Amino acid sequence: MKKILITAMALAFIVISCKNGDKSRFQVKLSYTNGDKMVTPQNIGKSNGWVFLEEIVYGKSQLPLIVDSQKISGNSGNLNFQGKSQTQGIFELVFGDNVLAIPLINDATEIQIDADLSKTKDFYTVTGSPASKQLQDLLAKVGERNSDIQTTFFQLDSLKKFNAPDSVLVAANNKKNAAVDQLNDYLKQFIQTTPSATLGVLALGWASRSFQPDQMETALKGLKTRFPGNAFLAEMEKNSQQQPEQQSSASGSWVGKTVPELVMADPNGKDVTISSFKGKFVLIDFWASWCGPCRMENPNVVKAYNEFRGKNFTILGVSLDKDKDAWKKAIAQDHLSWTQMSDLKYWNSQAVETFGFQGIPYNVLVDPSGKVIAESLRGEELDAKLKQVLN
């Protein structure tokens, strides 16, 4: 199994976490079997036979910090790892060159791990650490639901390629939306009931990819009420309140203003300008192939385009990609049949400097005169706004 990766959004939520009191030192006891079966010719590496206790940290490099290491000897045995942290956070036991990984939370002074290294799934149990056990369950449940979502996306993609009837596409899209709702319902319930602030903010990080802004706000307020005085939750709330102010100060809030000009190349290298779309309602959609929330929102944007494109409406995609091949592949995979442009400069894109947005997906809706009439439209809000102005 590849090393478990915490998403960049989730990592940002673990800069600070709930205090661990005087329990700054903790011990991880590993009992393993089938140590000889862990390494195969495909995963032999320079770290073969070693097990590392790593702390997941957030910083400029975003690289894990190795806290302790031990070498496996024999088919079975016991290893002890010593850790120290003033805050409660996420750790991992990493086997070899990321052959296997076990995520942990240092909520106890002694954590026991029993692992069968011949397996890649369901290969360990954890005792002595309630938060680590709950983290194990959380990863399994979120993984299952994410797999269901990916399956529905692939099914919908295949149906579109074979020009399935609209009724079939609608049913497939509803199935996809239902899968997303199931994930959201699970995360909502988890965030409301977990006794661990660390797990709460981690789950909220995953939820940020599919929650609507009002759902995020409600979940954050709920965590802050349940964990009063938590420094990181307070910082999260502060950042969420400042974000609209930052965007306003950067862009002046675009609603009611004339859309600025941008000139960038399309995938074929031909220059495209925003001003060339004057005379139409145009949704300028800022996205990227590497942006999970953008890719999840794209089916809604495709649906809006197909429904309203005959009513003097179109879309202009502006990508924050840096890899042209990845950009073009995402356009094809997500069936984005409208005009696309990008300067391939990632967050150094001229689009970010000109429009001043702090995150993507982001969009502005422009009327035929060139005036911005709405921004940050997603899902049902996008559909409702287009029906209002186009019908």
Side-chain angles (χ1 to χ4, degrees):
M1 182 182 74
K2 292 183 179 180
K3 180 181 177 183
I4 295 172
L5 298 177
I6 308 298
T7 64
M9 179 64 75
L11 275 172
F13 286 167
I14 307 175
V15 181
I16 310 169
S17 190
C18 54
K19 294 292 182 179
N20 200 24
D22 295 331
K23 300 177 182 179
S24 58
R25 294 184 182 274
F26 64 97
Q27 182 177 207
V28 179
K29 294 185 175 182
L30 171 67
S31 296
Y32 66 89
T33 58
N34 295 313
D36 59 325
K37 297 179 181 179
M38 179 182 73
V39 178
T40 66
Q42 288 76 29
N43 56 40
I44 291 177
K46 62 183 180 181
S47 300
N48 173 31
W50 285 89
V51 184
F52 304 92
L53 176 63
E54 298 182 352
E55 182 178 4
I56 305 298
V57 296
Y58 180 80
K60 292 182 179 179
S61 65
Q62 297 184 3
L63 294 175
L65 174 66
I66 296 178
V67 178
D68 197 1
S69 61
Q70 302 286 337
K71 188 172 179 63
I72 288 179
S73 178
N75 294 341
S76 61
N78 299 287
L79 299 175
N80 292 334
F81 300 84
Q82 305 296 323
K84 183 178 181 181
S85 177
Q86 295 298 324
T87 59
Q88 188 185 107
I90 307 292
F91 292 78
E92 283 187 319
L93 275 183
V94 180
F95 295 77
D97 284 349
N98 297 336
V99 178
L100 298 169
I102 298 174
L104 305 166
I105 294 178
N106 58 324
D107 65 327
T109 56
E110 185 174 301
I111 303 172
Q112 176 65 44
I113 302 292
D114 295 283
D116 181 349
L117 302 183
S118 65
K119 300 179 179 179
T120 57
K121 295 181 67 176
D122 301 324
F123 69 97
Y124 74 94
T125 59
V126 55
T127 53
S129 170
S132 297
K133 179 64 176 70
Q134 196 177 22
L135 174 58
Q136 182 183 19
D137 296 338
L138 173 65
L139 290 169
K141 295 290 178 60
V142 171
E144 291 172 4
R145 285 159 175 77
N146 273 331
S147 178
D148 291 341
I149 292 173
Q150 289 300 319
T151 298
T152 61
F153 267 105
F154 290 141
Q155 290 173 345
L156 184 60
D157 185 61
S158 297
L159 290 170
K160 289 178 179 177
K161 287 180 180 178
F162 288 99
N163 297 315
D166 288 346
S167 59
V168 175
L169 291 176
V170 169
N173 191 63
N174 290 339
K175 185 177 179 181
K176 180 265 297 179
N177 290 337
V180 174
D181 288 341
Q182 287 182 352
L183 172 62
N184 286 345
D185 290 343
Y186 171 75
L187 288 171
K188 179 181 177 182
Q189 178 68 16
F190 184 93
I191 292 168
Q192 289 175 342
T193 59
T194 178
S196 167
T198 301
L199 282 172
V201 294
L202 179 60
L204 190 60
W206 280 317
S208 68
R209 297 178 293 180
S210 54
F211 272 22
Q212 293 296 323
D214 60 331
Q215 293 175 310
M216 284 292 293
E217 182 180 356
T218 299
L220 176 56
K221 286 183 177 179
L223 282 174
K224 196 166 182 294
T225 299
R226 293 176 55 225
F227 302 102
N230 183 279
F232 186 62
L233 288 172
E235 186 68 19
M236 288 175 61
E237 183 178 52
K238 178 182 176 182
N239 290 338
S240 67
Q241 292 171 346
Q242 288 180 342
Q243 185 169 349
E245 297 174 3
Q246 291 170 346
Q247 181 163 317
S248 176
S249 63
S251 66
S253 181
W254 287 108
V255 176
K257 296 185 177 182
T258 299
V259 67
E261 180 68 295
L262 273 182
V263 182
M264 294 181 182
D266 69 9
N268 296 319
K270 182 180 178 180
D271 281 348
V272 177
T273 65
I274 288 180
S275 59
S276 65
F277 291 85
K278 194 168 185 178
K280 287 188 175 184
F281 286 94
V282 57
L283 182 75
I284 304 176
D285 184 42
F286 301 91
W287 72 291
S289 67
W290 47 261
C291 169
C294 302
R295 303 295 295 275
M296 292 183 70
E297 180 66 16
N298 275 344
N300 293 323
V301 184
V302 171
K303 178 177 178 293
Y305 179 74
N306 291 334
E307 182 176 352
F308 297 104
R309 61 179 175 175
K311 299 183 177 182
N312 197 36
F313 169 76
T314 191
I315 299 175
L316 171 61
V318 183
S319 170
L320 268 61
D321 272 284
K322 53 184 176 181
D323 185 310
K324 188 172 184 178
D325 289 338
W327 175 39
K328 293 172 68 174
K329 183 178 180 181
I331 292 172
Q333 287 178 335
D334 293 1
H335 302 282
L336 311 183
S337 55
W338 49 86
T339 304
Q340 298 284 338
M341 67 180 191
S342 178
D343 55 11
L344 299 175
K345 293 182 179 180
Y346 196 47
W347 283 106
N348 292 320
S349 171
Q350 183 63 42
V352 179
E353 181 177 344
T354 299
F355 282 84
F357 51 84
Q358 305 295 316
I360 52 175
Y362 171 71
N363 57 43
V364 294
L365 180 61
V366 184
D367 72 9
S369 71
K371 181 182 294 185
V372 177
I373 57 175
E375 61 185 339
S376 299
L377 298 170
R378 296 176 66 178
E380 294 180 359
E381 291 181 352
L382 173 61
D383 184 68
K385 186 64 178 179
L386 291 177
K387 285 180 178 178
Q388 176 191 342
V389 299
L390 296 177
N391 287 343

